[in-house]
Amino acid sequence: MQGKHHGEYKVPGGKLVVVDLDVVDGALNGVRVAGDFFLEPDDALDAINGALEGAPADTDARGLAARIDAALPAGAVLFGFSSEAVGITVRRAVADAREWTDFDWQIIHEGPQSPALHMALDEVLTAEVAAGRRPPTLRVWEWDRPAVIIGSFQSLRNEVDPEGAARHGVTVVRRISGGGAMFVEPGNTITYSLCVPNSLVQGLSFEESYAYLDDWVLGALGDMGIRAWYKPLNDIATEAGKIAGAAQKRMVSPVGAARSASARGGGGRGTGGGAVLHHVTMSYDIDAEKMVQVLRIGQEKLSDKGTTSAKKRVDPLRRQTGLPRAEVIARMIASFRARYGGAMGGVSAQELARAEELAAGKFSSREWLTRVP
């Protein structure tokens, strides 16, 4: 921890905050905050730097924000960022967090695959990133059949109507991440996974990491004329309604994993050291009648979302963009590459073999599916 540190944090829907600092004898020293935000009056920046100077280096983001708030002059205006955003940036600096552009990203968009294989690929590719054998990866899914994907801790009987699923030919699988059930159909759903090293989200809480990892897609949607935002804990919403839900899973890297050669820079800050799986299911179109026949969507859940009908809970991208699904995906990928780079790639033969083994075993087993009956 001792020595010079640099941290950056792009506020979701806001501006970039940058912090450079030293840590001397366990305290912040020489703190300099910068960014493309707006701040009035000018001397408020000196107040922010002064408030952070000498703070214990292990102070959390909220504690740092409280110091800043207490030091800001009366009437100070922070636009495009907040005192807590500065606190988060300090935490990322102290933790030596990596930035999106520090990595050579790989982007995968292959043909339709089974639900069980998609679950297995998420596990395998994230484990490979955790071990430092694969670069950070954006994988866009294609489905070969209708499916319901339930969260790791959900009750199968409480979430899925088996008669409805059988009647509509819907395959039910359980994923490794938490969260709620998702109903997907080929052509009606856009699903993607981010498999990223833990170093990308260092200094962020779980909730902050959701917003941070969703920010690129908010920009991509904005380029298509959709004003979207992150809605805690794991939704992406517009004025017309929810359009996507996210889920995460954290993985620890094997002991002694080699540092990935795909990470730029030195100082031992590679992709080994664990990884985060962040996957998102977006509604391009939706058959709401079929969905409510397959999922047990209770009135309590609906009322919690402020609606009275499942049809009103999700507003599809098809209606909002007027674009073909393939075009929406192409624009999303182009937006990601414009921000962070990335080469088109694919699942390796070894990764696919391992995923197929897991798909045929773990993810197709009754034991896994009913781990919470």
Side-chain angles (χ1 to χ4, degrees), residues 11 20 25 40 46 55 70 84 93 100 104 118 121 147 150 155 167 192 200 212 241 274 278 286 288 301 326 330 335:
V11 179
D20 290 282
D25 296 329
E40 294 289 347
D46 292 333
E84 188 160 351
W100 293 82
D104 291 324
H118 279 308
L121 283 169
I150 61 175
S155 163
R167 184 166 62 253
Y192 67 85
L200 183 62
Y212 185 67
H278 179 90
I286 188 168
K301 179 180 288 188
S335 179

Side-chain angles (χ1 to χ4, degrees), residues 35-345:
D36 60 357
F37 49 75
F38 301 92
L39 176 63
E40 294 289 347
D42 283 354
D43 60 7
L45 186 60
D46 292 333
I48 291 173
N49 290 330
L52 296 171
E53 195 73 17
D58 59 357
T59 307
D60 64 18
R62 289 185 178 180
L64 294 169
R67 292 175 69 106
I68 293 170
D69 291 338
L72 284 171
V77 176
L78 287 67
F79 188 64
F81 77 122
S82 66
S83 58
E84 188 160 351
V86 176
I88 291 170
T89 313
V90 170
R91 296 306 316 149
R92 286 178 58 76
V94 172
D96 288 328
R98 302 298 298 271
E99 307 304 328
W100 293 82
T101 52
D102 287 339
F103 303 104
D104 291 324
W105 288 84
Q106 186 174 110
I107 300 171
I108 299 174
H109 186 201
E110 298 181 328
Q113 292 161 321
S114 72
L117 185 58
H118 279 308
M119 303 304 106
L121 283 169
D122 263 359
E123 180 169 324
V124 169
L125 297 184
T126 307
E128 290 298 290
V129 172
R133 293 187 291 264
R134 158 169 281 281
T137 300
L138 167 65
R139 181 173 73 93
V140 181
W141 307 16
E142 295 292 347
W143 299 90
D144 73 351
R145 72 193 74 174
V148 165
I149 305 94
I150 61 175
S152 181
F153 310 107
Q154 286 189 297
S155 163
L156 175 63
R157 69 166 65 99
N158 288 345
E159 298 298 326
V160 181
D161 184 323
E163 294 181 359
R167 184 166 62 253
H168 293 292
V170 173
T171 299
V172 183
V173 291
R174 184 185 294 274
R175 62 179 183 266
I176 60 174
S177 62
M182 304 300 296
F183 173 70
V184 303
E185 293 183 288
N188 282 357
T189 307
I190 297 173
T191 308
Y192 67 85
S193 299
L194 284 169
C195 304
V196 305
N198 277 340
S199 57
L200 183 62
V201 296
Q202 285 293 327
L204 302 178
S205 68
F206 270 63
E207 181 173 339
E208 290 160 354
S209 73
Y210 272 87
Y212 185 67
L213 295 176
D214 280 340
D215 189 60
W216 76 272
V217 82
L218 302 185
L221 292 169
D223 292 341
M224 289 181 269
I226 300 175
R227 180 177 171 272
W229 58 86
Y230 163 73
K231 182 179 179 181
L233 176 58
N234 62 333
D235 288 348
I236 297 173
T238 70
E239 292 180 355
K242 173 182 172 179
I243 57 173
Q248 283 188 9
K249 175 68 177 179
R250 309 272 168 136
M251 289 191 183
V252 178
S253 63
V255 176
R259 186 167 74 93
S260 171
S262 65
R264 303 190 190 106
R269 294 168 63 195
T271 60
V276 178
L277 167 65
H278 179 90
H279 45 198
V280 173
T281 296
M282 311 180 76
S283 173
Y284 173 73
D285 206 350
I286 188 168
D287 186 335
E289 295 293 345
K290 186 184 297 184
M291 180 178 72
V292 297
Q293 292 175 34
V294 174
L295 294 180
R296 300 188 190 278
I297 302 178
Q299 288 302 310
E300 182 175 351
K301 179 180 288 188
L302 292 174
S303 62
D304 181 60
K305 299 294 183 179
T307 66
T308 57
S309 168
K311 295 180 183 180
K312 296 180 181 178
R313 291 186 64 202
V314 178
D315 192 67
L317 286 171
R318 180 178 181 180
R319 189 198 66 77
Q320 294 198 52
T321 65
L323 297 171
R325 176 179 176 275
E327 179 67 16
V328 173
I329 292 173
R331 293 193 185 195
M332 287 172 58
I333 291 175
S335 179
F336 186 93
R337 297 181 76 179
R339 282 172 170 241
Y340 311 126
M344 300 304 296

